Amino acid sequence: MLNNQVPVTVLTGFLGSGKTTLLNRILTENHGKRIAVIENEFGEIGVDNDLVIGAEEEIFEMNNGCICCTVRGDLIRILGNLMKRRDKFDYIMVETTGLADPGPVAQTFFMDTEMQEKLQLDSVTTLVDAKHIWQHIDDSDEAREQIAFADVILLNKIDLVTEGELEQLEARIRSMNAAAKIYRTKDAVVEMDKILNVGGFDLDRAMEVDPQFMEPEYPFEWAGVYNLSAGTHELVLQEGPDPTMKVALVPVSESTDEALEAAVEPVVMVFSDDEHELSAGGTLQPSGCLIALNLTADELRFEVQIGRPGTYALFTEHHPDEFQAQLFGSGTLVKPVVEREFKPDHEHDDEVTSVGITTPGDLDPDRLNDWIGNLLRTKGPDIFRMKGILSIKGQPERFVFQGVHMLFDGRPDRPWGGEPRYNSLIFIGRNLDRSKLTEGFEACLA
């Protein structure tokens, strides 16, 4: 029987490990495969698409959240749309953010029968920055999970460290993941058959790394099915640990576990949509939209308007107990007939943030050099990653750059031509001062 499954590589690695460099190599190498790329960025603006060369028509970018959490619904949508034009490509590459846990991403390909029939997870390939990984391997869960889940590990940037340091790092990685194939690389140069169609993903080993691997993580922690009469009800909450809580109210066929289960995956997609903020006193309806309840008022009461009597499921980002959330109808407490708790999303390091700057205009090269040089000398340890596209005064080409901690690398790219000149850059790290970064950069404008 002909195997018509499309192989998928999940490409992961901590910030600055060289994922985009490898991706460019894959897209430009003469390996004869047509590759669709799905990339996800951490941060408020996306620049990776500009840094990836070639095959632009097959690159799908998601930068409104982390692929392992809030945008998993987007990933499912894109995969579904891709499969409608299956004849256009041979392979799918999913590049995650540098802060993604690859487990939930890999899990996407085992979610249901249709996904398993059409797609085959070929491998989780992880890049490791041989010089800088030591700054994160002990205090970043994401960095360790990326290594632990890997089927193939590229120990990249080996030219920046000694042989002894490489051996020490390799031993450390072996202690975390003895099964992965490890290749040492410079500039992510590796033979394509080492990373494509390797048939390397081992579900049994994934279960060893995470015994709950097959238990999906959801963007909500609780759901309850209510039998509701037509008219106005009231959702009452108390102050809780967060200033907002996302909820979705959807009709379900009946008040049973099976009906609630049938609503789960569609609501995952709802939770990946844009949210609509609702202030206290506002009205919630069973619209299937994602609603963010603003929980900063003194009186946290929301109307729930039901047009037709029936069964409705309320999905909540947090457990209702955290906010003492209760539903009332005509002053009487309404309890859910069926309820279920879900495995919540994993936690990210909240101290790691991003600052994006996009502005038109040309930059004075001398001022830019002074600012970047001082920034890296003084803030380099806190800047995990920086990258972007710059418009340098007098230069006809775009200037693209990438930086990791105190290392900076840039080069002229394609000519601007008739395209409007602009600057777009992003910083990812700890203790980032948005106003100072923006002010410093804008002072470099010519």
Side-chain angles (χ1 to χ4, degrees):
M1 179 177 168
L2 181 64
N3 183 1
N4 197 37
Q5 291 170 303
V6 178
V8 180
T9 294
V10 174
L11 184 60
T12 184
F14 202 71
L15 297 162
S17 56
K19 296 187 295 297
T20 304
T21 302
L22 176 62
L23 199 53
N24 277 330
R25 196 166 294 284
I26 292 169
L27 292 175
T28 53
E29 289 265 342
N30 184 24
H31 45 63
K33 293 183 175 62
R34 298 169 300 169
I35 300 177
V37 176
I38 301 172
E39 63 179 27
N40 179 219
E41 292 190 59
F42 177 87
E44 56 206 16
I45 62 171
V47 297
D48 273 0
N49 205 359
D50 286 319
L51 298 177
V52 172
I53 56 178
E56 292 178 358
E57 71 281 7
E58 299 294 357
I59 294 177
F60 302 86
E61 188 175 34
M62 300 180 290
N63 61 355
N64 59 338
C66 181
I67 199 172
C68 60
C69 314
T70 54
V71 300
R72 198 178 71 183
D74 285 351
L75 174 62
I76 295 168
R77 279 196 193 96
I78 290 174
L79 288 169
N81 288 332
L82 269 176
M83 296 313 294
K84 292 176 183 172
R85 47 198 189 95
R86 167 70 183 87
D87 58 327
K88 301 291 186 184
F89 57 90
D90 309 306
Y91 207 96
I92 296 175
M93 183 77 58
V94 181
E95 180 191 4
T96 70
T97 76
L99 293 173
D101 173 358
V105 183
Q107 184 191 65
T108 302
F109 301 96
F110 297 90
M111 282 182 58
D112 55 41
T113 304
E114 184 179 2
M115 194 71 80
Q116 293 186 51
E117 284 176 351
K118 294 180 177 178
L119 301 162
Q120 180 181 46
L121 182 57
D122 186 53
S123 75
V124 174
T125 294
T126 300
L127 281 100
V128 175
D129 180 334
K131 181 175 176 62
H132 295 104
I133 190 62
W134 290 110
Q135 298 179 41
H136 306 287
I137 201 168
D138 289 320
D139 64 3
S140 167
D141 289 341
E142 290 86 0
R144 289 193 295 273
E145 285 158 353
Q146 289 164 359
I147 291 171
F149 262 104
D151 305 295
V152 177
I153 292 176
L154 301 189
L155 209 50
N156 196 31
K157 306 185 184 181
I158 59 173
D159 51 315
L160 301 180
V161 295
T162 65
E163 177 64 24
E165 290 169 325
L166 270 178
E167 289 177 0
Q168 182 186 4
L169 177 57
E170 195 163 318
R172 175 67 188 274
I173 289 174
R174 284 283 178 220
S175 72
M176 300 164 65
N177 182 346
K181 295 176 181 174
I182 299 179
Y183 302 104
R184 297 181 177 188
T185 61
K186 175 188 172 187
D187 297 328
V189 176
V190 63
E191 295 171 37
M192 288 298 111
D193 61 4
K194 298 285 197 301
I195 56 173
L196 297 180
N197 272 331
V198 296
F201 186 78
D202 187 333
L203 183 58
D204 291 337
R205 198 176 62 74
M207 296 289 286
E208 290 176 11
V209 174
D210 177 7
Q212 294 180 301
F213 175 77
M214 292 302 286
E215 182 182 341
E217 293 183 4
Y218 291 99
F220 36 77
E221 291 187 3
W222 182 88
V225 176
Y226 297 86
N227 290 326
L228 298 178
S229 57
T232 302
H233 298 65
E234 192 174 41
L235 181 63
V236 181
L237 304 94
Q238 303 296 322
E239 187 177 358
D242 284 327
T244 62
M245 179 164 71
K246 297 172 188 168
V247 302
L249 182 63
V250 298
V252 291
S253 57
E254 53 187 350
S255 52
T256 62
D257 290 326
E258 292 75 16
L260 178 59
E261 179 64 29
V264 168
E265 286 308 323
V267 174
V268 168
M269 307 296 275
V270 170
F271 267 72
S272 69
D273 285 339
D274 292 336
E275 62 196 45
H276 303 271
E277 185 172 323
L278 187 67
S279 299
T283 301
L284 178 67
Q285 294 177 315
S287 60
C289 293
L290 182 63
I291 304 297
L293 302 178
N294 186 326
L295 305 178
T296 57
D298 293 334
E299 288 263 321
L300 298 176
R301 295 172 178 272
F302 298 85
E303 286 189 353
V304 179
Q305 191 68 43
I306 301 297
R308 292 182 179 179
T311 50
Y312 297 88
L314 177 67
F315 287 77
T316 60
E317 179 184 8
H318 304 296
H319 198 289
D321 288 353
E322 294 181 55
F323 298 85
Q324 300 178 52
Q326 293 180 311
L327 185 64
F328 292 90
S330 303
T332 303
L333 178 65
V334 181
K335 292 189 175 181
V337 183
V338 175
E339 59 183 316
R340 178 181 162 188
E341 295 181 7
F342 297 88
K343 180 182 175 184
D345 283 341
H346 50 283
E347 298 291 332
H348 284 287
D349 183 347
D350 291 336
E351 292 182 3
V352 178
T353 59
S354 72
V355 174
I357 302 171
T358 299
T359 180
D362 290 339
L363 295 162
D364 181 300
D366 294 333
R367 276 185 248 163
L368 180 67
N369 278 336
D370 290 345
W371 178 68
I372 290 272
N374 183 61
L375 184 67
L376 294 181
R377 280 193 301 275
T378 57
K379 302 293 182 186
D382 279 343
I383 297 176
F384 298 173
R385 191 81 170 98
M386 55 188 295
K387 54 190 173 182
I389 300 102
L390 303 176
S391 173
I392 308 294
K393 184 179 180 181
Q395 299 298 318
E397 299 94 4
R398 308 184 326 162
F399 186 84
V400 299
F401 75 94
Q402 306 211 33
V404 181
H405 289 293
M406 301 178 82
L407 295 182
F408 180 92
D409 181 51
R411 57 180 167 75
D413 190 46
R414 59 181 168 80
W416 286 103
E419 182 184 354
R421 297 171 70 108
Y422 67 95
N423 305 280
S424 182
L425 63 163
I426 190 164
F427 300 89
I428 301 170
R430 281 201 178 97
N431 306 315
L432 299 182
D433 188 322
R434 176 183 297 276
S435 60
K436 281 190 176 179
L437 285 169
T438 305
E439 183 182 321
F441 181 75
E442 289 181 347
C444 300
L445 289 169

